[in-house]
Amino acid sequence: MLYPLRIKFRKLSPAQLIVSFYILAVTVSTILLSLPFAHNPAAKWSFLDAIFTAVSAVSVTGLSTVDISQTFNTAGIFILMFVLQFGGIGIMTLGTFIWLVFRKKIGLKERRLIMTDQNQTSLSGLVRLLRQILVIILTIELIGALVLGVYFLNYFPDWEEAFLQGLFASVSATTNAGFDITGSSLFMFKHDYFVQIINMLLLILGAIGFPVLIETKDYLLSRNSGRRTRFSLYTKLTTFTFFSLVILGAIAIFLLDMNHFFKGMSWHERLFYSLFQSITTRNGGLATMDVSKFSDPTLLVLCALMFIGASPSSVGGGIRTTTFALNILALYHFSKGNKTIKVFKRELLEDDVVKSFIVSTMAFLICFSSVITLMITEKEPLMPILFEVCSAFGTTGLSLGITPDLTIIGKCIVILLMFIGRVGILSFLFMFGGNEKLTRYRLPKERVIIG
């Protein structure tokens, strides 16, 4: 019986295998998070809560149907951090680390899986890439945990709780998970700009993309050694797009709520509220305030930012920053009558531009159909539902407070959105298509009327 299953397993495409591995990760996480010794005695915990929390953790979203701080004890918190590492760094990154520990040869099949999981376009240097990702992310988390742990001695009564809070906050922010064990996200630090700055740095480092971190590290090392390195087009494009969205998002939030939520506040309060909420919509999910207090125009801006999400090959979800950048560049060059798209002295491949519109279109259809369905199944206004859908698909974790009150159907839809947001639209589509098929013949081409 095992032999036929093994044959079927080998016939699966890399995308189908990756999705299968994430489903397995959710299953294992559900079991781990449901272990009796992980919960507080009075905690209410159902099977659907377990699946929802597991998917939210593996997809590093942060949406939850239960209060994490009240549900899990210290053992449960460490289990949750372990699951967040799988979700944030990626199944194949930690899987490769385990293979290397047991001296398993990383063959072509494994390299194709790594390439799919990390959105890479080449098979060369993948094992070295994953080693660097693991070292960089764990180093960032360790430094963040030490800095926050020491600083939290000012907030918590003993060093054990201070460093536990610091460790969890560092892991949650770096993986952009958005979970918290304070019981109120970062509300208690709404006037503590040091904690906010550290969290913003961790959120950015997790969401900007692993290749960007690696190229930045190589650039800094090359300057010290006298060697000359160049940033790739990916790094230039994603970094420019990432920080442009952060700045424009902060300006939009600042202006739209100037006479609403920000009325009567000092300039630095307005600045940090605007900047933090703009950064956290990249995929963070942490908040220094109740976002439901924002005006509807600001909430729409937050929805758009969450829909775009983080950079490719990062801890984030959404359509990704490069997809959005290619959409905008294509519209700009088409309006100018250009046949090709050029940026940073490079010409983009037509195949990448087509993929970007496929991802955007499919994401819009998924989110639109989810909003329609939730409006039928849930007794909630349009804005909270739209916000919940964008937050789940972007694996952000922000909410207007409707998550615990969703019906079973509503929770299942949010679970599916979080899962799709984590594995990516292309992997989700290729899951149904199987292996790539070679075209044996071509048909005559004919134009159709457009627009």
Side-chain angles (χ1 to χ4, degrees), residues 114-347:
I114 296 170
M115 186 176 71
T116 303
D117 189 37
Q118 292 296 329
N119 293 317
Q120 297 296 303
T121 57
S122 173
L123 288 170
S124 63
L126 289 176
V127 176
R128 179 175 176 271
L129 170 69
L130 294 196
R131 281 175 176 167
Q132 293 188 78
I133 290 174
L134 191 62
V135 171
I136 289 173
I137 293 300
L138 292 180
T139 302
I140 292 170
E141 289 178 349
L142 177 61
I143 294 173
L146 290 174
V147 173
L148 290 175
V150 171
Y151 190 79
F152 282 167
L153 291 172
N154 299 318
Y155 282 93
F156 299 98
D158 51 67
W159 69 268
E160 292 96 339
E161 186 176 356
F163 277 93
L164 177 62
Q165 290 280 351
L167 177 61
F168 191 90
S170 180
V171 171
S172 181
T174 306
T175 60
N176 280 207
F179 285 103
D180 71 274
I181 55 175
T182 64
S184 58
S185 195
L186 298 180
F187 289 17
M188 63 187 295
F189 308 112
K190 62 182 179 181
H191 296 305
D192 192 327
Y193 299 145
F194 178 80
V195 174
Q196 291 187 41
I197 290 172
I198 296 299
N199 274 276
M200 285 190 283
L201 288 174
L202 294 175
L203 291 171
I204 290 172
L205 291 172
I208 201 168
F210 302 135
V212 175
L213 298 179
I214 292 171
E215 287 190 32
T216 302
K217 182 210 69 173
D218 292 341
Y219 174 78
L220 294 174
L221 292 177
S222 68
R223 291 193 64 182
N224 294 331
S225 62
R227 291 183 291 109
R228 185 178 179 183
T229 60
R230 296 174 59 183
F231 288 111
S232 65
L233 175 61
Y234 163 83
T235 294
K236 293 177 182 177
L237 185 61
T238 193
T239 303
F240 178 81
T241 307
F242 186 95
F243 286 107
S244 295
L245 288 169
V246 168
I247 294 170
L248 293 175
I251 292 173
I253 295 168
F254 186 93
L255 295 177
L256 290 173
D257 259 78
M258 182 180 295
N259 296 317
H260 185 65
F261 177 72
F262 296 144
K263 191 174 182 179
M265 292 185 183
S266 61
W267 67 268
H268 51 84
E269 287 180 303
R270 298 181 183 188
L271 174 63
F272 272 88
Y273 274 128
S274 300
L275 186 59
F276 193 95
Q277 308 327 309
S278 180
I279 290 175
T280 198
T281 54
R282 295 273 54 77
N283 189 60
L286 296 170
T288 55
M289 53 161 290
D290 183 357
V291 291
S292 65
K293 294 181 179 179
F294 277 140
S295 62
D296 284 348
T298 302
L299 292 177
L300 281 175
V301 170
L302 297 183
C303 287
L305 293 173
M306 292 189 295
F307 179 79
I308 296 170
S311 300
S313 191
S314 72
V315 299
I319 63 172
R320 311 304 203 272
T321 52
T322 48
T323 302
F324 176 73
L326 262 61
N327 289 167
I328 298 299
L329 288 169
L331 292 173
Y332 172 78
H333 283 275
F334 184 82
S335 66
K336 292 289 185 179
N338 300 328
K339 296 293 184 182
T340 58
I341 301 174
K342 299 181 179 65
V343 60
F344 294 116
K345 298 181 180 181
R346 291 290 186 272
E347 186 174 312

Side-chain angles (χ1 to χ4, degrees), residues 378-398:
E378 313 302 315
K379 297 179 181 179
E380 299 288 348
L382 173 61
M383 182 55 72
I385 289 176
L386 177 62
F387 198 89
E388 195 83 3
V389 166
C390 291
S391 179
F393 174 74
T395 66
T396 306
L398 294 175

